[in-house]
Amino acid sequence: MAGNQTEHIVNTDQYITIAASEYTWEQTIKKSRFIVNMARVETEADARAFIDRINKEHNKATHNVWSYMLGERDQVQRYSDDGEPAGTAGVPMLEVFKNNEVHDIVAVVTRYFGGIKLGAGGLVRAYAGTVAGGIAELGLVERIQRHKMSIRVDYKNYEPLKYWLEQHEFTILDTQYDTGVTLTVPVADDATDSFETSVQDLLAGQADLTVGEIDLFEVPYDKRVTAQTSSLK
């Protein structure tokens, strides 16, 4: 399978990716169907296998354009226009990954031609917009290192605690109900003491907190997804 490669250096301090292992989204533009299938990948073999699978599923499509980007510094970047005019399809898809800083991702945009030509600019907007639309609909997550903080409270203190956590933008990873309520919240290493103090102050000392080991967590990442590419600036 032929492909091209471009280079892009990113800030590796932040890791953002799509919120599900696989996702499908589609739109119709001037009677052509544009269907994006995207997935998280860790290796080129994973990406190629996904592309092959989508090609087989849509073997009657007019085009199956693909792009993928992976590696610790996004050093692996490949794409194919699959018969569309050069620079109008695979590259715009790849630029959507870069401009939204989405890591370790492969996308295949399948086009079923509807009889109306879009022109070069229209194709760029269609392919970039389909990828961006799929990412926006699915959502993004950020992978972070945090302590797994466990907070156990009586039922009467559950709603006040939940409200406080939401107001201070702490993500509730899990909630367990038995004789009391236990919430699991990721907390930064340098914030565990202040977090515990704030919760105990809020609930007048009526909370049992346990600081767990540092682990990787995925939390929702609120960001406006852009379809901007160099061709559309």
Side-chain angles (χ1 to χ4, degrees), residues 66-215:
W66 54 263
S67 290
Y68 61 83
M69 186 167 72
L70 57 96
E72 291 184 1
R73 297 185 62 82
D74 292 345
Q75 64 268 31
V76 179
Q77 299 178 26
R78 304 194 190 282
Y79 64 89
S80 169
D81 293 311
D82 193 38
E84 293 283 29
T88 65
V91 169
M93 292 166 58
L94 192 60
E95 289 189 357
V96 170
F97 300 159
K98 297 179 190 177
N99 293 337
N100 292 285
E101 298 184 308
V102 182
H103 303 286
D104 294 340
I105 182 173
V106 58
V108 182
V109 174
T110 298
R111 182 188 184 190
Y112 287 91
F113 183 55
I116 300 175
K117 293 184 177 180
L118 301 182
L123 287 172
V124 171
R125 284 187 288 272
Y127 281 99
T130 300
V131 173
I135 293 173
E137 186 71 20
L138 172 60
L140 297 168
V141 291
E142 182 181 5
R143 190 173 295 170
I144 55 176
Q145 282 192 333
R146 293 290 187 269
H147 280 282
K148 195 173 184 179
M149 182 78 79
S150 175
I151 316 163
R152 183 173 178 80
V153 295
D154 293 335
Y155 277 90
K156 67 177 181 180
N157 287 319
Y158 167 60
E159 287 297 336
L161 174 60
K162 181 173 179 287
Y163 179 79
W164 183 87
L165 291 170
E166 291 171 348
Q167 289 299 301
H168 289 80
E169 299 183 347
F170 286 102
T171 300
I172 300 172
L173 298 171
D174 185 47
T175 305
Q176 298 290 329
Y177 304 92
D178 45 53
T179 55
V181 184
T182 302
L183 297 89
T184 303
V185 179
V187 179
D189 184 51
D190 59 357
T192 55
D193 289 344
S194 60
F195 178 84
E196 183 167 1
T197 298
S198 297
V199 170
Q200 295 292 15
D201 287 348
L202 172 73
L203 302 178
Q206 298 179 12
D208 183 13
L209 288 88
T210 303
V211 181
E213 296 295 324
I214 290 180
D215 204 347

